[in-house]
Amino acid sequence: MTIQAGAEQVTFEVVSPTADKQDSAGSPIAPRLDTLNGKVLGLLSNSKPNAEVALRAVAEKIKERYPDLKIRLYPGSIRFEPELLRRAIEESDALIGATADCGACTSWLIHDGAQAEKAGVPQVTIVARGFERDTDTSAKVFGVPGLRYVVVPRVFTALTAEQAAEQTLPVTDDVIRALTEDAGHDEGAAAEPEEEAGEWQESYTFRGAGAVEAVDAFNTFYLERDFGDGLPLHPPTRAKVEAIVEAQGRPGDDLVLTVPPLHGSGTLERIAVNAAMAGCAPEELPVVIAALKAIAACPPPMNLSVLMSTGAFAPVILVNGPLVKKLGINSGRSPLGPGLNNRVNIRIGRAVALTLRNLGAWIPGRMDLDTIGTVRKNIQVLGENEDESPWEPYQVGRGLRPDDSTVTVVHTVGEWDLGSNHGPADRRIRSIAARTPTLTQVGFMTSTLAGLQGNEDGLFYLLPPETARKFADAGLSKDAVKRFLLHNMRPRIADVIAPFIDFRERGLVRPEWDWMFRLTPEEQRSQSVQAFNDPSAINIAVAGHGTPKEFVFGTMTTPITEKIIAIGQSGAEPE
C-alpha cells in the first residue's frame, strides 16, 4: 500500500479484480447464402414453450418468398444432443434457432449456433429483448463474436401461441438478411457498456483528505464499475495481494482455472485480488480455490444453467476436515448466520462470489439472468459439525479420508426450516419426510425431459447433532435415514404432473411416465408417487447446535467434492 500523508492527504493504489480484457478474436461467421431458394432450412427448437411456434411461423413466411425452400424441424432440448446437432448441421444449408429467452437456454442456443457457424452453415438465433448482452457475451465465449441474431419484444414463455407467432413474423426480413447478407448486418447487437469497452487497467489510485475519504472514493468507484457486491469492499492493495499470493508458494500468474460462466482467466493473482476485497486471510485462499474448482467441475448442461438461468439458483459450500477448526469456520450455532462467529464463513463465501463476478461475469443482467434473485447468491459457507456428529464426516461418504479437508458445492434452488423437533426417532423422521417440499423444484425433469441425466433435482439436509444422535441411538445409519426419506416422500400425482402437461402435449414426456397422465383426475389426486428415484439425490450433513431444528436445501446439481490443498501441502496423494 502506497500512502502519502501530507496536509492530511492520503493516497493508495489498488489492483484490478478483473482479468485483462476478454479476447474477442475468434472464428468468423460462415459465408452467407446467395439465395434461400432450393435450400434446406433447419429449425433448431430447444423445447422451450412456443419455440417451435415461432420457428414455424417465420419459416413459412420465408417460404412464401422462396417457394422451393425445404424446411426441416429438429426438436431438441436446452442443450442439443451432439448427434442431433451434428445431423442438423449436415442436413441443412442454413439454420434458425429458438428461443433465447432465459439465461441458460440463451447460452446453450448460442453455443449450438456457434458450432454451426464454425462448420460453415449460416445461422440466426431468435432472441427476446433483454437477452442481447447475454447473447453477445456468449457468442464471444464460444468463439464466434460476430454471431447473428434477431430480437423480438417479449419472452416467449409469457405468450400464447398466437402472440408468439405474431411477434416473430415482423422479424422475417431480418432473418433473411442475417442468412443471406455477408456484411453490414449487426441486427440486435448491443453496444458494450463504457466500463467494458474502455481500456483495461492493472491498478487504480485513490486520494482523499484522510484515509476514510480515500477508501470511500475507492468503494464508490469499484461499486460503480460493478466490481463489487453492493457492500463496502476491502481495498486490494498491491502489498495485500502479494502477501496472499506469496503465502501460496506459487507464482501469481499460474492459471488455477477458467472461471464460469464466462470462462475467464482465473490466475492465482486475480483470485487473490478478489479474496483481498472480501477481507480474506492468506490461509483462507485454498478454500476459495477449492470451491471455485468444484463449481467449475459441475457437468454440462447444468454448469451454465445454474449460473445463467432466470431461476434463483445459487451455490452453497460445505467445508469438512481439520481446516474447519484451524481456520475458525463455524459449524456450530447458526453456521449460516451473520456476525462474529461466521466472519470466516462470510469472507470465504464473499471471495468466491466476487471471483465469479469479476472473472466469470456472474453479474445480474450480463451472464446471470435471474428474474428475481435470492440472498443465497451472497454465497453461504458452513462447516460440518463433525465433533458432535454420530456418523462419519460427509467427505468420507464421498470416498475421502476423515483427515482430508474438503469443500462440497451444491447449487440450491430454495431452503426450508423443517423444525420437526418432537417425539422419538420414528415420529421425527416421518415428520421430516412429510414436511419436506418436493414440488418447488423442477421435479421429475431428469425422468421426463430429453437431454438431462443424473440427479439434477435433489435435497441436501442439514441435521442438527441432537437429531442425528436421536436417529443413531435408534440404530439408523445415515444411509438408512436417506433410504427412509427416499421411500416416504410421496407427492400427489396430480401435483407432480401439473407443471408438465404442456411438455406432454409437445411429446417431451418419456413413455415410462405417460401412465400418470392417463389416470382420471380423481386417481391423480388420490394416488401418490415416490418423489425421487435414486438415494444419491438425497444428501445429509450434520451442522448447527442446540435445539433439533432440521433444515433442507432443494438442489439443482449433484454435490461436487473437492479436496483443499492447504498452504504447505502438495496436491499429491501419499503412497
Side-chain angles (χ1 to χ4, degrees):
M1 182 175 185
T2 302
I3 298 181
Q4 299 171 354
E8 299 185 350
Q9 279 282 57
V10 172
T11 301
F12 65 85
E13 181 186 63
V14 296
V15 186
S16 172
T18 64
D20 196 348
K21 61 184 179 181
Q22 290 290 323
D23 183 5
S24 61
S27 301
I29 62 172
R32 296 354 243 176
L33 302 175
D34 294 331
T35 180
L36 294 176
N37 226 13
K39 305 296 185 183
V40 175
L41 179 63
L43 308 180
L44 290 174
S45 172
N46 66 351
S47 83
K48 292 294 294 293
N50 291 320
E52 187 174 328
V53 171
L55 287 167
R56 288 192 181 279
V58 75
E60 292 300 326
K61 191 70 173 176
I62 293 173
K63 189 172 176 61
E64 291 178 8
R65 191 176 307 179
Y66 301 98
D68 294 332
L69 178 71
K70 300 179 181 63
I71 299 170
R72 291 180 183 170
L73 176 69
Y74 296 92
S77 60
I78 289 177
R79 183 198 186 203
F80 276 81
E81 289 291 336
E83 177 59 28
L84 177 62
L85 181 62
R86 183 195 62 77
R87 185 160 58 85
I89 292 172
E90 288 182 353
E91 295 174 353
S92 305
D93 298 301
L95 291 166
I96 306 175
T99 59
D101 63 357
C102 78
C105 69
T106 297
S107 187
W108 280 117
L109 200 55
I110 297 307
H111 167 274
D112 296 336
Q115 301 310 303
E117 295 283 0
K118 291 176 182 178
V121 177
Q123 69 81 53
V124 60
T125 301
I126 301 174
V127 176
R129 191 166 306 284
F131 292 84
E132 301 95 326
R133 194 177 185 190
D134 186 12
T135 300
D136 289 330
T137 304
S138 296
K140 291 178 183 178
V141 168
F142 296 124
V144 186
L147 186 139
R148 292 182 176 174
Y149 60 93
V150 297
V151 179
V152 294
R154 299 175 63 190
V155 295
F156 286 96
T157 51
L159 306 177
T160 64
E162 293 75 14
Q163 290 171 325
E166 184 178 314
Q167 79 161 4
T168 307
L169 289 175
V171 301
T172 302
D173 288 344
D174 296 330
V175 170
I176 293 171
R177 285 196 298 270
L179 296 174
T180 60
E181 294 186 5
D182 274 316
H185 180 75
D186 282 322
E187 189 68 38
E192 289 191 343
E194 183 178 348
E195 68 270 20
E196 293 177 29
E199 289 297 320
W200 179 82
Q201 289 183 225
E202 166 67 25
S203 61
Y204 302 90
T205 300
F206 299 93
R207 299 175 177 83
V212 172
E213 186 175 296
V215 171
D216 282 348
F218 149 74
N219 266 289
T220 297
F221 180 83
Y222 264 44
L223 293 174
E224 286 178 349
R225 300 270 291 199
D226 220 359
F227 292 163
D229 53 11
L231 297 172
L233 302 164
H234 295 262
T237 62
R238 175 63 63 185
K240 187 180 292 185
V241 172
E242 288 179 351
I244 295 175
V245 170
E246 288 172 7
Q248 313 308 311
R250 301 167 55 186
D253 60 359
D254 270 9
L255 181 64
V256 177
L257 76 158
T258 57
V259 181
L262 183 64
H263 306 301
S265 179
T267 63
L268 181 61
E269 181 182 59
R270 292 302 148 193
I271 297 172
V273 174
N274 286 279
M277 287 165 56
C280 283
E283 59 268 23
E284 295 162 6
L285 190 69
V287 185
V288 175
I289 289 173
L292 289 166
K293 286 182 175 179
I295 291 170
C298 182
M302 304 308 287
N303 60 331
L304 294 181
S305 296
V306 291
L307 294 175
M308 300 180 64
S309 176
T310 46
F313 308 139
V316 167
I317 301 166
L318 175 73
V319 187
N320 277 93
L323 277 179
V324 172
K325 282 187 178 179
K326 185 175 180 180
L327 297 179
I329 296 170
N330 187 17
S331 63
R333 176 79 67 181
S334 188
L336 294 177
L340 178 65
N341 288 346
N342 290 298
R343 61 196 184 280
V344 179
N345 305 40
I346 292 169
R347 288 200 298 257
I348 292 171
R350 195 180 187 200
V352 173
L354 288 171
T355 304
L356 291 173
R357 164 179 289 271
N358 288 313
L359 299 180
W362 191 49
I363 301 170
R366 186 171 178 194
M367 297 294 276
D368 175 12
L369 276 295
D370 196 339
T371 302
I372 294 176
T374 170
V375 294
R376 287 176 286 105
K377 292 191 175 183
N378 298 312
I379 294 177
Q380 297 172 295
V381 175
L382 75 156
E384 182 166 29
N385 191 344
E386 298 178 19
D387 286 348
E388 295 189 83
S389 173
W391 297 320
E392 76 281 357
Y394 184 83
Q395 83 274 26
V396 173
R398 307 284 289 176
L400 294 161
R401 299 190 303 262
D403 60 348
D404 285 330
S405 291
T406 64
V407 298
T408 297
V409 171
V410 61
H411 287 86
T412 61
V413 68
E415 60 180 61
W416 298 271
D417 182 1
L418 301 179
S420 53
N421 62 337
H422 298 291
D426 61 333
R427 293 182 189 173
R428 185 167 297 175
I429 196 170
R430 290 182 186 281
S431 175
I432 291 172
R435 292 173 64 105
T436 298
T438 57
L439 298 175
T440 50
Q441 303 162 242
V442 176
F444 274 81
M445 179 176 279
T446 56
S447 299
T448 57
L449 298 186
L452 290 180
Q453 298 177 355
N455 292 311
E456 280 81 9
D457 300 320
L459 297 166
F460 203 111
Y461 287 92
L462 299 178
L463 299 185
E466 286 297 328
T467 296
R469 280 198 293 266
K470 177 77 74 173
F471 291 154
D473 291 345
L476 295 174
S477 67
K478 189 190 297 185
D479 283 342
V481 173
K482 290 162 64 172
R483 287 195 301 272
F484 182 91
L485 294 173
L486 176 75
H487 294 299
N488 286 274
M489 288 185 289
R490 299 187 63 86
R492 296 189 316 165
I493 289 176
D495 297 328
V496 169
I497 67 173
F500 295 103
I501 292 173
D502 64 322
F503 287 95
R504 185 192 184 223
E505 291 173 349
R506 290 184 282 139
L508 297 175
V509 170
R510 291 185 176 175
E512 61 264 35
W513 296 110
D514 195 62
W515 64 270
M516 294 191 292
F517 296 84
R518 295 198 303 270
L519 297 174
T520 67
E522 176 56 34
E523 289 171 329
Q524 291 171 351
R525 288 191 296 270
S526 62
Q527 296 182 32
S528 63
V529 66
Q530 189 171 296
F532 299 97
N533 295 321
D534 192 322
S536 63
I538 298 172
N539 286 268
I540 296 174
V542 176
H545 177 80
T547 304
K549 294 281 188 177
E550 300 83 13
F551 188 94
V552 65
F553 288 107
T555 63
M556 279 297 292
T557 59
T558 300
I560 296 174
T561 299
E562 184 81 21
K563 189 174 176 181
I564 301 169
I565 308 301
I567 292 174
Q569 282 186 318
S570 70
E573 291 289 334
E575 296 182 2

